Amino acid sequence: QVQLVESGGGLVQAGDSLRLSCAASGRTFSTYTMGWFRQAPGKEREFVATINWIGSTNYADSVKGRFTSSGDNVKKTVYLQMKSLKPEDTAVYYCATKDSASHLYAYWGQGTQVTISA
């Protein structure tokens, strides 16, 4: 199985930036799809971004132009660079990777809290 650990969350002011990291270990593979998700209290978990091993990315409309995902395949780490943060970005952010057989996001990190003050 794959183990994922997010880091980099914190408390910042609106307009500031944060970079989240997601480090993978265990049974990792050269080809992957990594997803970023977030969940605020009382709200459904929502999709934020995806990145694959080639570096192709996809973003939710709510973060497009502000968030950028990237990956370091040697370090087995993916990043989410978040700029121009807004209070509505406040959430627990999770990374997850797809299982190669089911193509579902089967492996999840523990989450990292991102809080944006107005």
Side-chain angles (χ1 to χ4, degrees):
Q1 62 177 353
V2 179
Q3 291 82 46
L4 303 175
V5 178
E6 301 97 334
S7 62
L11 172 63
V12 297
Q13 295 182 345
D16 286 353
S17 299
L18 279 174
R19 188 177 74 160
L20 306 183
S21 298
C22 176
S25 62
R27 192 175 181 179
T28 60
F29 298 91
S30 297
T31 59
Y32 64 86
T33 298
M34 190 73 69
W36 288 99
F37 301 84
R38 66 187 183 185
Q39 186 168 24
K43 297 178 64 178
E44 295 280 328
R45 183 180 65 200
E46 65 174 335
F47 163 78
V48 175
T50 59
I51 184 170
N52 68 12
W53 75 100
I54 299 174
S56 297
T57 54
N58 188 30
Y59 302 95
D61 288 341
S62 59
V63 306
K64 194 172 298 181
R66 299 188 299 120
F67 291 11
T68 303
S69 187
S70 61
D72 186 329
N73 292 331
V74 175
K75 294 182 180 293
K76 296 184 178 180
T77 302
V78 298
Y79 306 94
L80 186 67
Q81 178 68 57
M82 306 184 295
K83 299 180 179 179
S84 301
L85 285 163
K86 306 173 181 179
E88 50 263 45
D89 295 319
T90 295
V92 177
Y93 283 70
Y94 300 90
C95 63
T97 191
K98 286 185 175 180
D99 177 78
S100 60
S102 67
H103 302 285
L104 302 175
Y105 287 105
Y107 308 103
W108 293 77
Q110 83 288 348
T112 185
Q113 177 71 49
V114 172
T115 303
I116 315 301
S117 62

